[in-house]
Amino acid sequence: MPNLTIVGTQWGDEGKGKVVDYLARTAQLVVRFQGGPNAGHTVRVGDRQTILHQVPSGILTPGVRCVIGCGCVVDPHALGEETAALARMKLRARSRLTVDARAHLILPFHRQLDLLAEKHSRSPIGTTGRGIGPAYADKVGRVGIRAADLLPGREERFREKLKRNLAAANVKLMERYRAEPISFKKLAEDYWRATRELARMVGDGSRVITDALAEGKPVLFEGAQGVHLDIDFGTYPYVTGSSTGVWGVGPGTGVSPLWLEQAVGVAKAYSTRVGLGPFPTELEGEEGERLRKLGGEFGATTGRPRRCGWFDAGVVRASVRLNRLNALVITKLDVLDSFEEIRIGTGYRCGRQRLDEFDPTRADELEPVYETFAGWHETTGACRKLRELPMRARRYLRRLEELCGCPVALASVGSERRQVVEVKKEALRWLKSG
Ligand code: GDP
Ligand code: IMO
Ligand code: MG
């Protein structure tokens, strides 16, 4: 059976949650490999909408097992809230979810330090304020506290590590930000209590995944954020703290890249970005507002309005090359239904050069070049077959394929699970076997 990696090709919020949920009906295991509660993956099944932050979207499909891989950073409070909400929906997350023992923990002061760094910076990033950067910094600084530290019999050692890390955080809080220090006793008690739910799910995620792969079970790797928020390949420093592309799967799961078969990139039919940083095709006026309104473009994690603009083929094309994507899924095609004119950024002028791929190291020099399409003025939300889509919508998808250099396997025409059009099923082995 195949395995498939799903990544965001833009700046996050492409609809990865919806796509993972759609594909999960034929999965036995769904794995998150990086990021933490900065992610917000929205899945709508019938009238019920669920926003998942840390738990893989596969949890909404009964019988599917899930893993939070070692490349993730885990916030025990937020995870507890998430599993409690799932339990209220009669979905027992705890018995189906493994958190890799090597995953690092987000500590309460990570969130505080994230927020203060943003507040006091002359050039903030616009982070989600979930403590992601400071948690990954501790990981690479080799002082992080991991899920394994929560196992039975390790409380004393955990408290010692927490005391050491809190002392370092308090120096920053007091000296850098003139903030009140945090007292150890209450923090240690509250935090330890909050970790009890998580502690029951700690296991060897790497082993769970490689065993499943070896047994030929179908495995989905669920990306979070987008390729252009990647710590290396994104618009640095306006990025997140982890590796958001297919290359993140290895270190983020403990699975050799030699296991990976195919990858699909999720792209919105236009572009959005939440937080600061370069965005060549951004629309600042009325058109941007119209996309935001029609697309409901407000952050699933922070509620912030998302910046909106036209589809930027150079951005997605770079993702296709970097990830060696086998196919694309174009989401939110229906949001363009009422536009008289639709534009696509086909590439850039950069001085006297013409570029067809987004280059984040020269982002300020890029001036997008556009192509204009006549809109289709029809509702697409009920379409399920390619031939049911308006001719101009099909033409739009074909042009995206050409410009991005990658076949479009699926198009999503609404937020509900079934609102999907199979465009080129043959592009993905996963779909053929499903
Ligand atoms: P993710 O982080 O990549 O999973 O994406 P988000 O969940 O943050 O944002 C995508 C938003 O678009 C969510 O509100 C989804 O319910 C919604 N959505 C997904 N696909 C479609 C679609 O095809 N059409 C419309 N109108 N909404 C969609
Ligand atoms: P999903 O998985 C959109 C952005 C933040 C900020 C930058 C750094 O839902 O697509 P961080 O809190 O990670 O240090 O913030 O990254 N960001 C996202 N934007 N979708 C996400 O996740 C994001 N996760 C982080 O807005 O610009
Ligand atoms: Mg999101």
Side-chain angles (χ1 to χ4, degrees), residues 13 40-41 300 306:
D13 301 328
H41 295 182
R306 295 174 182 150

Side-chain angles (χ1 to χ4, degrees), residues 147-159:
D149 294 313
L150 303 175
L151 291 171
R154 298 190 180 176
E155 185 171 357
E156 239 356 88
R157 209 168 71 191
F158 168 83
R159 285 171 65 89

Side-chain angles (χ1 to χ4, degrees), residues 12-18 40-44 49 268 294-297 300 306 331-335 412-415 419:
D13 301 328
E14 297 90 349
K16 297 173 294 293
K18 148 119 201 211
H41 295 182
T42 315
V43 180
R44 194 154 77 79
Q49 176 175 284
K268 244 176 227 183
L294 289 170
E297 295 297 352
R306 295 174 182 150
T331 58
K332 305 190 96 161
L333 189 66
D334 55 297
V335 174
S412 172
V413 290
S415 55
Q419 288 183 293

Side-chain angles (χ1 to χ4, degrees), residues 58-350:
I59 206 76
L60 298 178
T61 305
V64 169
R65 284 198 62 81
C66 293
V67 173
I68 295 182
C70 56
C72 297
V73 284
V74 185
D75 183 329
H77 281 103
L79 185 68
E81 282 170 19
E82 219 169 307
T83 50
L86 289 165
R88 284 194 293 276
M89 290 160 54
K90 308 261 179 296
L91 290 165
R92 282 170 305 131
R94 197 194 296 161
S95 58
R96 291 197 283 136
L97 178 63
T98 302
V99 179
D100 194 290
R102 305 162 189 90
H104 281 250
L105 299 178
I106 300 178
L107 303 166
F109 43 83
H110 286 144
R111 289 177 72 132
Q112 208 167 338
L113 290 170
D114 186 5
L115 292 167
L116 284 166
E118 286 283 284
K119 190 171 154 204
H120 290 264
S121 168
R122 254 181 273 153
S123 50
I125 310 283
T127 71
T128 59
R130 297 297 188 268
I132 304 299
Y136 277 115
D138 276 359
K139 170 178 175 169
V140 197
R142 282 138 313 160
V143 294
I145 304 183
R146 305 199 293 177
D149 294 313
L150 303 175
L151 291 171
R154 298 190 180 176
E155 185 171 357
E156 239 356 88
R157 209 168 71 191
F158 168 83
R159 285 171 65 89
E160 278 163 31
K161 289 185 182 180
L162 187 65
K163 194 177 255 174
R164 175 198 64 191
N165 287 14
L166 179 63
N170 273 337
V171 170
K172 281 190 204 151
L173 286 174
M174 289 187 293
E175 292 183 4
R176 196 179 295 169
Y177 302 119
R178 310 261 167 247
E180 286 295 312
I182 299 170
S183 102
F184 173 72
K185 196 163 172 291
K186 184 160 168 19
L187 174 92
E189 275 162 24
D190 287 353
Y191 193 79
W192 184 258
R193 206 173 315 117
T195 60
R196 292 307 81 207
E197 167 83 355
L198 161 59
R200 282 190 280 267
M201 298 185 277
V202 175
D204 189 344
S206 159
R207 193 67 207 235
V208 172
I209 310 164
T210 45
D211 282 354
L213 290 166
E215 287 164 27
K217 292 181 176 161
V219 179
L220 283 180
F221 295 96
E222 173 174 352
Q225 291 77 50
V227 167
H228 296 278
L229 288 171
D230 182 86
I231 183 77
D232 292 294
F233 297 100
T235 47
Y236 193 90
Y238 300 98
V239 294
T240 189
S242 49
S243 298
T244 59
V246 171
W247 48 88
V249 174
T253 59
V255 165
S256 161
L258 298 177
W259 276 108
L260 303 185
E261 286 188 346
Q262 290 205 313
V264 65
V266 185
K268 244 176 227 183
Y270 49 97
S271 306
T272 64
R273 175 163 200 165
V274 56
L276 300 160
F279 183 174
T281 61
E282 181 169 15
L283 291 164
E284 274 161 7
E286 248 171 59
E287 272 174 315
E289 192 55 50
R290 189 167 167 207
L291 275 173
R292 187 172 309 121
K293 223 168 148 189
L294 289 170
E297 295 297 352
F298 296 88
T301 296
T302 58
R304 291 179 290 177
R306 295 174 182 150
R307 298 155 65 193
C308 296
W310 296 118
F311 189 88
D312 189 340
V315 162
V316 178
R317 194 177 168 86
S319 292
V320 168
R321 179 182 63 79
L322 287 164
N323 292 282
R324 193 177 175 275
L325 297 178
N326 300 90
L328 292 172
V329 177
I330 302 295
T331 58
K332 305 190 96 161
L333 189 66
D334 55 297
V335 174
L336 301 179
D337 284 353
S338 63
F339 279 78
E340 304 71 43
E341 273 191 349
I342 300 163
R343 291 206 284 165
I344 306 181
T346 56
Y348 318 91
R349 264 189 292 273
C350 181

